[in-house]
Amino acid sequence: MPRGRIRARLRWSHLYTFSCYKPSATEEGPHSIEGHGHSRVVHCNQPLMHKKKPFKYRSNYISTTKYNFITFLPKALYEQFHRVANLYFLGAAILSLTPLSPFSAVSMIAPLAFVVGLSMAKEALEDWRRFMQDMKVNSRKVKVHKGEGVFGNKSWQKLQVGDVVKVEKDQFFPADLLLLSSSYEDGICYVETMNLDGETNLKVKRALEITLPLDEDEAFRRFTGTIKCEDPNPSLYSFIGNFDYDRQLFALDPSQILLRDSKLRNTAFVYGVVIFTGHDSKVMQNATKSPSKRSRIERKMDYVIYVLFSLLLVISLISSIGFAVRTKYYMPDWWYLQPKNTDDYYDPEKPGVSGVSHLVTALILYGYLIPISLYVSIEVVKVLQATFINQDIQMYDEETGTPANARTSNLNEELGQVDTILSDKTGTLTCNQMDFLKCSIAGTAYGVRSSEVELAAAQQMANDLEDRDAERSTCSRQKGKQQEIELETIVSSKDEKDHKSPIKGFSFEDGRIMKGNWLKEPNADVIMLFFQILAVCHTAIPELNEETGIYTYEAESPDEGAFLVAAREFGFEFFKRTQSSVFVRERYSASGQAIDREFKILNMLEFTSKRKRMTVIVRDEDGQILLFCKGADSIIFDRLAKNGRIYEEDTSKHLNEYGEAGLRTLALAYRKLDESEYSAWNSEFQKAKTSIGTDREVMLEKVADMMERDLILIGATAVEDKLQKGVCVILALFL
């Protein structure tokens, strides 16, 4: 493998949205980025120029702590006296220093100092742990160009703007980088942005074509360039800048930017130049200061303190009023108190002063109605709980080797306080592990295995049947037996094997179309077209596992990976991609021999959340131009031709069944194109692609929509997003 590169021979290989040609710097033109908010200048591979103004930027050192040695005492005290109880005890401690206090001031100050000191010590410990985590991140190593084409390890915190770095597979990006090249020849790389936006699907980034030759260490010996771009800002999905390189100016966009804290996946290595460091990086721009987190119990305790203080005030007022009355009317008769020689606090002629002074004394005396020890107990319990959480073996993730980490113990009691269950598709209830489970082809449903949702519902139905009264009527017994028979067909897959498919991403079972048996089906030609769409309509890259001899796929999403694995198991193995073609090996054919077919990629319109569909236009070996499309059923059905709705009714019924079973569905369709029709459309498409203006995306969408019409429905797929452990049990309770 020369120079350690992946020799897939991919040169701008149609992997990008609306891509069908080599991008160049002149098509969009460089952005006009002069003015406020766009003043950053980065001298690539010249970090020494950034040590003096106006090019002196922040270091790559980051800190997420709440305090430092100077601010800890004032900030921590401010936090502690946000508590109502602490404010009350502080007031009581101050009053205990006056002559009105019924006992020593130490008895009030010592408990308060202990409670506040313990809480501050806990805050200091947790902030110290944050500091240690920051130091661990800041001390990570990355390869940096040191000069003369030599790369050496350097800690993250010592990185500077302009440094050229080499990031290897499964490493995090140490700063915001401009992608220069990658191990793939067309300069693409796959990035996991889970730490930024929670998405587990991989994102594709691509380098400018002009920097693709910078594919090895030696190539950076004389590399220089200048980046002019926007100032630091928190927008993760936008970037405006120009790259001045080799006496040419190139426009930059977010597809060339690698953000800090995202991870390089499925790519051996990438080269990049540092643009934003430390707290200037977009992820740190989005980070907020560690807030003062207070749990519901603590807020409820404040309410209890208000109630207790009100009760204390009422008791003290009653006591003080009684004392003032007795001082005025009864004290003159108490000769043993010598009222003529008394001070103002016990002067019968000043009962109001006596009452107020007694009120202060009563508040201190009855102050133990508010339990200061309760706060001590809660603080100790929280610290111990956080320790137990960190050591809980059941919260240890064996796959990543990550234990639980309680960064703060203030919210321990919030754990497990489930009020509302919200289901979504981002991994809250699911593992984001897709398995091809069922499909509908030419109006016929295939796939006999049941989903986890169906099994959970079936189990709940079985439990309900067992709990029925044994003395049911004969009619009820017959009905129950009929239900049990229907239930048996669902539970059978669990009772028979209850095993997970050994093939990751493929849990399909149906002998009618497995192992080449689809050739015997009535609609074999439609089934073959269905499998071809699965094997061709995607953006993935194949990788051969030399140990097993099986191809695995680097896909942007787990759904796409599951489709390719399914196509491979059905006998349509995607095994090679070039700059303009996709190659599929068909293991089963009428002749009985494997056939390698080439599909030339003419255009590819990628799947987006707005389009909800993906289309690829190919030319097969017979010269026929075909449009393959997959997408949401509502989108596909609206674009069907009159003669393309033969299987619509049956497919809709199957889609509803798959949806009720908790499966994720996509509809598949195709269209045959005439040469003249395609040429006319492609001309319009190229014109929209090379246009300059704010309405460019609108024009592209309009032109794409013109082609994605008059489709012929073939079928639909159903994949299962595996549920997290224990979710099936919860789900069964709600069914």
Side-chain angles (χ1 to χ4, degrees):
M1 188 175 292
R3 297 184 297 181
R5 293 172 55 73
I6 298 176
R7 312 303 295 179
R9 294 296 177 190
L10 303 177
R11 302 294 298 180
W12 296 106
S13 53
H14 307 279
L15 296 181
Y16 320 115
T17 306
F18 298 112
S19 66
C20 58
Y21 71 107
K22 291 184 180 181
S24 67
T26 60
E27 288 166 1
E28 284 193 17
H31 300 283
S32 176
I33 58 172
E34 302 295 332
H36 179 71
H38 301 86
S39 61
R40 195 175 188 90
V41 178
V42 178
H43 297 278
C44 304
N45 209 22
Q46 304 173 74
L48 294 179
M49 296 190 66
H50 300 98
K51 290 189 175 182
K52 56 184 178 180
K53 293 184 178 180
F55 306 123
K56 187 175 182 179
Y57 302 120
R58 286 189 180 186
S59 69
N60 204 38
Y61 177 87
I62 60 109
S63 174
T64 60
T65 58
K66 292 174 62 176
Y67 314 104
N68 56 40
F69 290 108
I70 298 175
T71 62
F72 174 72
L73 189 60
K75 276 190 174 182
L77 287 174
Y78 178 77
E79 295 289 343
Q80 292 306 313
F81 289 106
H82 260 91
R83 292 178 173 177
V84 176
N86 286 349
L87 277 177
Y88 165 75
F89 290 122
L90 177 63
I94 294 173
L95 292 176
S96 68
L97 297 172
T98 66
L100 298 175
S101 176
F103 39 70
S104 171
V106 177
S107 61
M108 289 298 297
I109 296 175
L112 176 64
F114 178 74
V115 172
V116 173
L118 181 64
S119 299
M120 290 175 63
K122 186 199 73 168
E123 288 286 319
L125 176 62
E126 292 176 349
D127 211 51
W128 174 258
R129 290 174 178 169
R130 295 190 194 99
F131 173 74
M132 295 305 296
Q133 288 180 343
D134 291 341
M135 292 304 297
K136 184 178 180 181
V137 172
N138 289 326
S139 300
R140 288 175 179 171
K141 301 296 183 181
V142 66
K143 291 183 177 179
V144 181
H145 184 233
K146 294 184 175 182
E148 301 299 325
V150 177
F151 280 72
N153 288 328
K154 182 186 286 188
S155 62
W156 282 21
Q157 62 185 354
K158 294 182 180 180
L159 276 184
Q160 297 178 354
V161 172
D163 278 335
V164 175
V165 300
K166 181 180 181 180
V167 181
E168 297 179 337
K169 185 177 180 180
D170 294 330
Q171 288 184 347
F172 289 98
F173 299 116
D176 290 352
L177 311 175
L178 169 65
L179 176 62
L180 298 176
S181 62
S182 75
S183 55
Y184 292 111
E185 288 199 358
D186 63 349
I188 69 164
C189 69
Y190 290 91
V191 176
E192 180 186 275
T193 60
M194 185 167 55
N195 288 350
L196 303 181
D197 53 19
E199 291 288 339
T200 55
N201 293 350
L202 301 184
K203 310 295 191 302
V204 174
K205 300 290 184 177
R206 67 179 185 271
L208 293 172
E209 186 176 13
I210 191 66
T211 60
L212 294 184
L214 302 172
D215 53 11
E216 57 183 3
D217 295 358
E218 185 66 24
F220 291 93
R221 179 186 293 270
R222 295 180 179 85
F223 166 70
T224 58
T226 303
I227 300 171
K228 295 181 180 180
C229 64
E230 62 188 21
D231 294 335
N233 64 78
S235 177
L236 296 174
Y237 307 106
S238 65
F239 183 83
I240 297 176
N242 292 334
F243 182 40
D244 188 350
Y245 177 64
D246 199 18
R247 297 182 181 181
Q248 299 182 64
L249 202 60
F250 302 88
L252 301 177
D253 58 59
S255 64
Q256 283 106 35
I257 305 301
L258 307 173
L259 300 181
R260 180 187 175 114
D261 276 358
S262 53
K263 181 186 287 188
L264 182 66
R265 298 294 300 274
N266 297 340
T267 310
F269 61 84
V270 297
Y271 291 100
V273 61
V274 177
I275 300 178
F276 298 121
T277 52
H279 289 273
D280 282 347
S281 61
K282 290 184 179 290
V283 65
M284 295 306 296
Q285 288 280 311
N286 280 278
T288 57
K289 292 183 178 180
S290 299
S292 299
K293 299 176 182 178
R294 306 186 68 210
S295 64
R296 283 182 291 179
I297 288 181
E298 192 169 333
R299 290 194 293 268
K300 187 173 290 186
M301 285 176 60
D302 286 348
Y303 173 76
V304 172
I305 295 298
Y306 285 128
V307 174
L308 292 177
F309 181 75
S310 300
L311 180 61
L312 173 63
L313 190 60
V314 170
I315 294 173
S316 299
L317 281 173
I318 294 173
S319 177
S320 300
I321 292 172
F323 180 79
V325 170
R326 294 184 70 85
T327 299
K328 181 177 181 180
Y329 294 106
Y330 296 99
M331 188 169 287
D333 297 333
W334 297 340
W335 58 269
Y336 51 86
L337 294 179
Q338 298 181 358
K340 292 182 180 180
N341 299 325
T342 188
D343 54 26
D344 292 340
Y345 299 136
Y346 304 99
D347 190 350
E349 296 179 358
K350 299 178 181 179
V353 175
S354 299
V356 172
S357 62
H358 187 274
L359 176 63
V360 174
T361 303
L363 286 173
I364 299 175
L365 187 62
Y366 305 148
Y368 289 105
L369 182 66
I370 299 176
I372 192 172
S373 60
L374 178 61
Y375 282 90
V376 179
S377 302
I378 289 178
E379 292 295 338
V380 172
V381 168
K382 284 184 176 181
V383 172
L384 294 177
Q385 281 181 335
T387 303
F388 292 146
I389 290 173
N390 292 340
Q391 298 176 353
D392 192 345
I393 191 64
Q394 293 185 351
M395 298 183 71
Y396 177 77
D397 186 7
E398 295 182 359
E399 185 174 344
T400 60
T402 306
N405 182 19
R407 286 172 62 90
T408 178
S409 61
N410 290 346
L411 299 178
N412 291 348
E413 57 268 38
E414 297 292 318
L415 294 174
Q417 301 299 310
V418 179
D419 180 72
T420 306
I421 295 180
L422 301 175
S423 64
D424 65 5
K425 59 179 182 179
T426 60
T428 304
L429 299 180
T430 62
C431 303
N432 209 32
Q433 175 190 328
M434 306 300 173
D435 278 1
F436 191 94
L437 192 64
K438 298 181 180 182
C439 62
S440 172
I441 310 175
T444 303
Y446 296 98
V448 298
R449 295 194 66 180
S450 301
S451 68
E452 292 180 341
V453 173
E454 289 177 305
L455 293 176
Q459 185 62 47
Q460 186 63 27
M461 290 173 61
N463 294 337
D464 292 342
L465 288 172
E466 291 177 359
D467 293 340
R468 288 184 179 179
D469 188 7
E471 297 180 357
R472 293 176 300 180
S473 63
T474 305
C475 180
S476 298
R477 289 197 194 99
Q478 293 176 351
K479 184 178 180 180
K481 289 180 180 179
Q482 183 179 0
Q483 289 177 335
E484 289 177 353
I485 293 172
E486 293 174 352
L487 181 63
E488 185 179 356
T489 61
I490 300 177
V491 185
S492 60
S493 61
K494 184 176 181 180
D495 293 336
E496 286 173 4
K497 303 175 184 177
D498 194 23
H499 71 283
K500 292 184 178 179
S501 174
I503 304 172
K504 184 178 181 180
F506 189 74
S507 299
F508 183 88
E509 287 184 8
D510 196 324
R512 290 176 293 174
I513 58 175
M514 292 292 292
K515 298 180 179 179
N517 292 333
W518 58 270
L519 289 167
K520 304 174 184 177
E521 289 291 293
N523 296 302
D525 55 338
V526 179
I527 296 176
M528 182 178 72
L529 201 55
F530 181 91
F531 294 153
Q532 286 178 344
I533 294 177
L534 292 182
V536 173
C537 189
H538 57 79
T539 62
I541 294 176
E543 228 180 43
L544 179 63
N545 187 324
E546 296 181 357
E547 295 181 0
T548 61
I550 298 176
Y551 283 93
T552 57
Y553 305 103
E554 297 172 356
E556 291 187 51
S557 67
D559 304 68
E560 198 168 78
F563 292 149
L564 287 170
V565 171
R568 183 190 69 197
E569 296 303 314
F570 288 133
F572 291 74
E573 184 177 49
F574 163 56
F575 68 93
K576 182 181 179 182
R577 181 190 288 276
T578 66
Q579 70 175 46
S580 60
S581 299
V582 166
F583 293 84
V584 177
R585 178 171 294 126
E586 298 180 5
R587 294 201 300 266
Y588 307 110
S589 63
S591 62
Q593 296 180 348
I595 301 174
D596 290 352
R597 297 189 186 276
E598 177 185 1
F599 295 87
K600 293 185 178 180
I601 305 294
L602 302 179
N603 304 92
M604 182 173 288
L605 314 179
E606 261 193 17
F607 188 100
T608 65
S609 57
K610 181 180 179 180
R611 285 168 41 76
K612 297 182 180 179
R613 62 190 183 277
M614 176 184 179
T615 298
V616 59
I617 302 175
V618 301
R619 189 189 300 273
D620 63 14
E621 294 177 335
D622 299 328
Q624 175 67 55
I625 300 177
L626 299 171
L627 181 149
F628 293 154
C629 185
K630 64 181 181 183
D633 54 280
S634 58
I635 301 296
I636 299 298
F637 287 176
D638 289 342
R639 288 165 169 74
L640 295 178
K642 290 183 179 180
N643 63 342
R645 301 178 179 272
I646 300 176
Y647 311 117
E648 181 179 9
E649 184 177 351
D650 292 333
T651 304
S652 297
K653 179 183 176 182
H654 298 152
L655 285 170
N656 291 332
E657 294 174 355
Y658 298 155
E660 292 174 357
L663 304 178
R664 298 172 59 161
T665 59
L666 283 180
L668 273 61
Y670 83 104
R671 177 186 174 190
K672 293 183 178 180
L673 304 177
D674 295 332
E675 192 73 41
S676 58
E677 179 186 10
Y678 170 74
S679 297
W681 173 84
N682 192 45
S683 176
E684 293 295 322
F685 185 79
Q686 296 291 345
K687 187 184 299 183
K689 185 70 178 179
T690 56
S691 65
I692 300 175
T694 56
D695 60 343
R696 178 181 174 190
E697 293 299 325
V698 177
M699 294 175 60
L700 282 170
E701 179 61 33
K702 184 178 179 180
V703 175
D705 190 68
M706 291 169 53
M707 178 56 71
E708 296 169 324
R709 294 286 178 181
D710 299 327
L711 304 177
I712 299 176
L713 182 66
I714 293 180
T717 62
V719 298
E720 180 180 28
D721 194 354
K722 290 293 185 180
L723 297 173
Q724 300 273 13
K725 293 181 179 179
V727 173
C728 280
V729 178
I730 299 174
L731 185 63
L733 298 176
F734 285 92
L735 293 174

